[in-house]
């Protein structure tokens, strides 16, 4: 009876979402010729709505009637321009400071000093996100039809978590935007996804890799895999490879192994409802035994799997290739939305399309050309092939906000730019919640230099995606000799934790591995520069390598490492 109810709910919810998704898909394709007008209309309506807020009176919103007025009266802004208002709402609950909508949640996002920012969230925030999310349901239905995988019902392997980071003095919750949905629709999500309701909201206290792996593997009817970033998916399947013996034993016996981190109260709830499933465990053992290097294993585990939804472009391309191995060519990818806490910016409307279509009704966007003048351009004024920093005005009280995300324009659909994510301004490292900018990394190296009591002459960073989980590998050249037998790698992680509180927690969760520090031989960097000069590169074009991106340079540094 329970399975029947689950199928009915899954069928109804997913098919309603797919129906709405088809309408939204058609809307975004049909309105491209007047997208600039729609965007302008929404902007001016938003300005008028907020004209009586504190910030609205400060910039005379009531006098803004055109885009030119808007650009003349309101300067570019950063988070620092809003801290006073945001903290006042967080501490006292006072509203109508930057938005007339009620702020009832803060999205936490890392700041330049390691302390998280609080991005205001109002009800209107979620409309572009939900509207575009339904398009994935529509694409899932289309893929299931292509593959003759039956009607649109089943479970989703979803890696979003719902932990609350903090609660402000005025009682407003602070957390991750996707986690807000998870906590709000706890019962529904436990019916639609493999995530058991017992752990929703308690992720910090639970071994979530085990939970996701165990309950997804036992579920035969998984039709879709969803995660914000592809790196989380590859880590999960690496975990399954390494821990399949324990997982399959627990599926067979209807248990949770004693070694798994989980509060006793939740363990007891599982003990009451879990049942032995020897048939599924034996089936999985056969699949694992017969799979060579786990290639194409995902469609073998789940016969009806039809789509993977996750960001696998840009910095996450290496993880995309790893997932291809697990999926083979049978399972297509949808590269999710290009979104930030501040706005839902762009979406991939088609399966396997690595380019994003700007969501023209999700906010008002301006663009600053990289290495160009400081003149703001509108969405229909960009040049194909050029890179631009995004400026967003959203529905939550941020106006002409410098997002620091850089995109490359690769085409146009009507008046809507088709973009690729290029990079984060000044960002070096972006993995599963850890975002390090050049400024932060410089701070860390300064702390590290003091901790070592040794001058660091030069340093470079390599993001080791071949290691599971991913880790930072740092190469340093020091003024004085250094005892490489000492735990200099742990000392580095300690400094990262100073700049980025919670880094040690990310390591404990198994999302990122401990860093590895290599000390290189004297004059390593000097010899590298000399080699570049010999190869014909002008002296004034030789820059210090902070990020190692190619195997040749990596080999050079590894060969130069003190043993």
């Amino acid at each position: 009876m329970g399975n029947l109810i689950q199928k009915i709910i899954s069928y109804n919810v997913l098919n309603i979402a797919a129906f709405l998704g088809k309408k939204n898909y058609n809307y975004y394709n049909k309105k491209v010729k007047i997208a600039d007008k729609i965007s302008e209309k929404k902007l001016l309506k938003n300005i008028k709505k907020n004209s009586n807020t504190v910030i609205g009176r400060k910039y005379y919103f009531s006098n803004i009637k055109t885009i030119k007025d808007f650009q003349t009266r309101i300067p570019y802004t950063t988070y620092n321009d809003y801290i006073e208002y945001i903290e006042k709402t967080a501490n006292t609950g006072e509203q109508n400071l930057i938005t007339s909508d009620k702020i009832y949640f803060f999205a936490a996002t890392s700041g330049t000093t390691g302390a998280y920012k609080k991005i205001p969230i109002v009800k209107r925030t979620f409309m572009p996100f939900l509207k575009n999310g339904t398009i994935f349901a529509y694409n899932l239905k289309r893929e299931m039809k292509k593959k003759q995988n039956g009607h649109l019902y089943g479970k989703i392997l979803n890696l979003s978590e719902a932990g609350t980071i903090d609660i402000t003095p005025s009682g407003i919750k602070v957390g991750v935007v996707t986690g807000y949905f998870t906590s709000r629709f706890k019962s529904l999500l436990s019916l639609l996804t493999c995530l058991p309701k017992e752990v929703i909201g308690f992720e910090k206290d639970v071994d979530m890799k085990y939970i996701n792996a165990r309950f997804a593997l036992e579920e035969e009817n998984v039709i879709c895999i969803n995660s914000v970033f592809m790196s989380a998916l590859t880590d999960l399947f690496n975990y399954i490879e390494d821990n399949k013996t324990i997982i399959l034993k627990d599926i067979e016996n209807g248990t949770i192994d004693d070694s798994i981190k989980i509060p006793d109260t939740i363990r007891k709830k599982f003990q009451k409802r879990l049942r032995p499933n020897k048939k599924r465990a034996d089936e999985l053992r056969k699949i694992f035994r017969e799979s060579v290097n786990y290639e194409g294993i995902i469609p073998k585990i789940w016969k009806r799997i039809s789509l993977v939804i996750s960001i696998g472009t840009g910095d996450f391309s290496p993880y995309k290739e790893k997932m291809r191995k697990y999926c083979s060519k049978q399972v297509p990818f949808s590269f999710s939305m290009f979104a930030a806490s501040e706005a839902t910016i762009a979406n991939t409307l088609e399966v396997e399309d690595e380019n994003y279509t700007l969501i023209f009704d999700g906010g008002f966007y301006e663009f600053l050309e990289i290495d160009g003048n400081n003149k703001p351009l509108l969405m229909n004024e960009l040049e194909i092939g050029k890179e631009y920093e995004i400026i967003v005005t959203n529905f939550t009280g941020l106006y002409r906000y410098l997002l620091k995300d850089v995109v490359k324009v690769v085409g146009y659909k009507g008046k809507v730019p088709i973009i690729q994510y290029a990079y984060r301004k000044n960002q070096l490292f972006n993995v599963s919640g850890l975002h390090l900018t050049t400024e932060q990394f410089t701070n860390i190296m300064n702390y590290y230099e003091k901790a070592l009591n040794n001058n660091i002459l030069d340093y470079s960073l390599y993001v080791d995606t071949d290691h599971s989980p991913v880790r930072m590998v740092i190469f340093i050249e020091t003024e004085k000799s250094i005892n490489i037998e000492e735990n200099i790698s742990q000392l580095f992680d300690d400094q990262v934790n100073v700049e980025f509180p919670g880094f040690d927690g990310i390591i404990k969760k198994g999302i990122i591995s401990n860093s590895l520090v290599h000390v290189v031989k004297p004059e390593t960097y000097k010899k590298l520069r000399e080699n570049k000069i010999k190869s014909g590169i002008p002296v004034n074009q030789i820059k210090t390598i902070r990020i190692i991106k190619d195997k040749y340079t990596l080999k050079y540094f590894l060969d130069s490492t003190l043993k």
Side-chain angles (χ1 to χ4, degrees):
M1 187 67 178
N3 285 337
L4 178 61
I5 292 172
Q6 187 272 322
K7 284 183 179 180
I8 292 171
I9 292 173
S10 172
Y11 179 86
N12 285 318
V13 172
L14 291 176
N15 279 277
I16 289 170
F19 172 77
L20 294 173
K22 184 177 181 179
K23 289 182 67 176
N24 292 327
Y25 173 88
N26 291 334
Y27 170 81
Y28 284 115
N29 279 298
K30 289 179 180 178
K31 298 294 183 181
V32 291
K33 292 182 180 179
I34 57 169
D36 56 334
K37 301 299 180 187
I38 294 172
S39 184
E40 179 181 352
K41 185 178 179 180
K42 282 187 171 287
L43 168 70
L44 296 177
K45 184 178 179 181
N46 191 43
I47 290 295
K48 183 178 180 180
K49 179 176 170 48
N50 290 296
S51 60
N52 201 37
T53 60
V54 171
I55 205 166
R57 292 192 295 272
K58 177 181 178 180
Y59 292 116
Y60 298 95
F61 280 12
S62 59
N63 293 334
I64 294 175
K65 307 297 180 186
T66 65
I67 291 178
K68 187 176 180 180
D69 293 340
F70 169 73
Q71 292 177 330
T72 301
R73 290 195 174 277
I74 305 176
Y76 299 140
T77 64
T78 65
Y79 186 72
N80 288 338
D81 294 298
Y82 302 94
I83 287 179
E84 177 187 352
Y85 306 116
I86 288 171
E87 291 302 323
K88 196 167 187 179
T89 299
N91 292 325
T92 70
E94 184 176 345
Q95 301 280 345
N96 206 49
L97 301 176
I98 59 176
T99 175
S100 59
D101 291 73
K102 183 179 179 181
I103 297 170
Y104 62 98
F105 187 77
F106 287 114
T109 181
S110 58
T112 56
T113 61
Y116 63 78
K117 300 176 185 176
K118 303 183 190 78
I119 305 299
I121 298 297
V122 302
K123 287 183 179 179
R124 287 195 294 158
T125 303
F126 297 118
M127 289 313 297
F129 183 83
L130 292 172
K131 192 174 179 179
N132 282 271
T134 61
I135 294 174
F136 297 126
Y138 172 56
N139 283 334
L140 174 58
K141 186 171 185 175
R142 289 200 291 174
E143 290 301 319
M144 292 190 74
K145 187 175 181 180
K146 281 184 195 175
K147 298 175 185 304
Q148 297 182 332
N149 277 342
H151 294 293
L152 181 56
Y153 72 88
K155 290 264 190 171
I156 298 169
L157 169 50
N158 180 50
L159 298 190
S160 296
E161 297 184 8
T164 298
I165 293 174
D166 202 358
I167 298 178
T168 70
S170 65
I172 301 175
K173 288 185 178 180
V174 184
V176 182
V177 175
T178 51
Y180 176 80
F181 282 108
T182 309
S183 60
R184 288 273 292 185
F185 304 104
K186 183 176 177 179
S187 297
L188 180 61
L189 283 173
S190 65
L191 292 171
L192 294 177
T193 75
C194 301
L195 190 66
K197 63 182 178 181
E198 288 90 346
V199 302
I200 297 176
F202 298 96
E203 291 88 349
K204 287 183 179 179
D205 307 313
V206 175
D207 183 343
M208 287 304 296
K209 279 190 179 177
Y210 169 87
I211 293 294
N212 283 315
R214 188 223 185 278
F215 287 91
L217 286 174
E218 185 170 10
E219 174 58 56
E220 298 178 39
N221 203 23
V222 172
I223 58 173
C224 178
I225 298 174
N226 176 58
S227 174
V228 176
F229 299 119
M230 201 77 77
S231 54
L233 295 179
T234 58
D235 279 349
L236 178 66
F237 284 96
N238 286 334
Y239 176 87
I240 289 172
E241 281 191 58
D242 295 338
N243 297 275
K244 60 182 179 293
T245 302
I246 288 177
I247 297 169
L248 297 185
K249 177 178 70 71
D250 281 344
I251 291 173
E252 179 176 358
N253 298 328
T255 56
I256 302 287
D257 193 85
D258 290 340
S259 66
I260 302 303
K261 178 189 173 186
I262 186 170
D264 288 340
T265 52
I266 296 177
R267 186 183 291 275
K268 287 177 183 177
K269 289 179 181 179
F270 280 135
Q271 287 172 346
K272 286 182 180 179
R273 78 169 179 88
L274 291 178
R275 297 290 180 268
N277 193 345
K278 187 176 187 303
K279 180 184 175 184
R280 178 61 173 165
D282 287 343
E283 181 181 288
L284 290 168
R285 286 190 184 101
K286 185 173 186 292
I287 291 169
F288 287 129
R289 190 168 55 248
E290 295 177 354
S291 295
V292 179
N293 297 323
Y294 283 44
E295 290 185 13
I297 197 167
I298 285 177
K300 294 174 185 175
I301 293 172
W302 300 293
K303 311 298 185 193
R304 297 179 68 231
I305 188 77
S306 299
L307 191 63
V308 171
I309 303 170
S310 186
I311 296 174
T313 58
D315 293 340
F316 297 96
S317 293
Y319 305 104
K320 173 186 66 180
E321 299 311 317
K322 288 184 180 180
M323 277 301 291
R324 292 283 190 204
K325 182 190 86 168
Y326 292 127
C327 291
S328 71
K329 294 181 179 179
Q330 294 181 50
V331 187
F333 292 173
S334 177
F335 293 108
S336 194
M337 283 183 269
F338 171 19
S341 300
E342 294 86 353
T344 305
I345 300 160
N347 198 4
T348 50
L349 298 181
E350 305 294 342
V351 171
E352 290 292 352
D353 188 356
E354 296 192 15
N355 300 323
Y356 292 89
T357 302
L358 188 75
I359 299 172
F360 52 82
D361 61 349
F364 184 79
Y365 297 100
E366 300 168 85
F367 300 84
L368 288 176
E369 184 182 338
I370 299 300
D371 299 326
N373 58 35
N374 209 34
K375 180 186 176 184
L377 300 172
L378 302 182
M379 71 165 95
N380 57 318
E381 298 175 332
L382 312 180
E383 291 185 44
I384 295 174
K386 288 192 174 182
E387 293 182 343
Y388 300 88
E389 180 182 359
I390 300 175
I391 307 167
V392 62
T393 297
N394 65 14
F395 301 135
T396 70
L398 303 182
Y399 306 92
R400 308 199 76 201
Y401 187 85
L402 294 167
L403 203 55
K404 295 186 180 178
D405 282 324
V406 176
V407 297
K408 182 178 182 180
V409 178
V410 296
Y412 261 95
K413 186 183 290 185
K415 295 188 176 181
V416 179
I418 309 300
I419 59 177
Q420 290 178 346
Y421 178 79
Y423 56 90
R424 176 89 171 156
K425 259 194 161 183
N426 297 323
Q427 185 161 290
L428 291 176
F429 187 79
N430 178 8
V431 176
S432 302
L434 178 64
H435 311 282
L436 285 182
T437 64
T438 50
E439 180 185 355
Q440 287 175 302
F441 197 68
T442 299
N443 290 342
I444 291 166
M445 295 311 296
N446 288 338
Y447 302 151
Y448 192 43
E449 191 175 59
K450 291 177 182 176
L452 289 171
N453 193 27
N454 199 336
N455 289 333
I456 297 176
L457 303 176
D458 224 329
Y459 59 90
S460 299
L461 167 69
Y462 175 70
V463 180
D464 187 1
T465 56
D466 290 328
H467 190 274
S468 181
V470 65
R471 66 179 175 182
M472 289 188 285
V473 178
I474 301 90
F475 296 90
I476 62 171
E477 184 175 326
T478 58
E479 186 176 46
K480 296 181 290 186
S481 61
I482 191 169
N483 184 359
I484 58 175
E485 298 298 322
E486 294 179 358
N487 200 353
I488 57 176
S489 295
Q490 181 57 54
L491 191 61
F492 174 82
D493 281 345
D494 291 343
Q495 313 316 309
V496 177
N497 205 59
V498 172
E499 184 69 14
F500 194 93
F503 178 67
D504 55 352
I506 295 174
I507 291 175
K508 287 176 183 176
K509 277 180 153 183
I511 297 171
I512 296 174
S513 287
N514 290 94
S515 304
L516 177 63
V517 175
H518 289 299
V519 181
V520 297
K521 299 171 185 175
E523 299 192 339
T524 291
Y525 283 86
K526 179 184 176 182
K527 290 175 182 176
L528 180 61
R529 289 190 290 271
E530 288 173 349
N531 290 340
K532 292 193 173 197
I533 292 170
K534 287 178 183 178
S535 70
I537 299 174
V539 175
N540 60 358
Q541 291 185 13
I542 296 175
K543 298 177 182 177
T544 299
I545 294 177
R546 284 286 173 259
I547 286 278
I548 300 170
K549 293 185 176 180
D550 62 274
K551 297 296 182 182
Y552 172 81
T553 306
L554 176 62
K555 184 178 184 304
Y556 172 82
F557 279 101
L558 288 172
D559 290 344
S560 303
T561 297
L562 291 171
K563 308 300 181 184

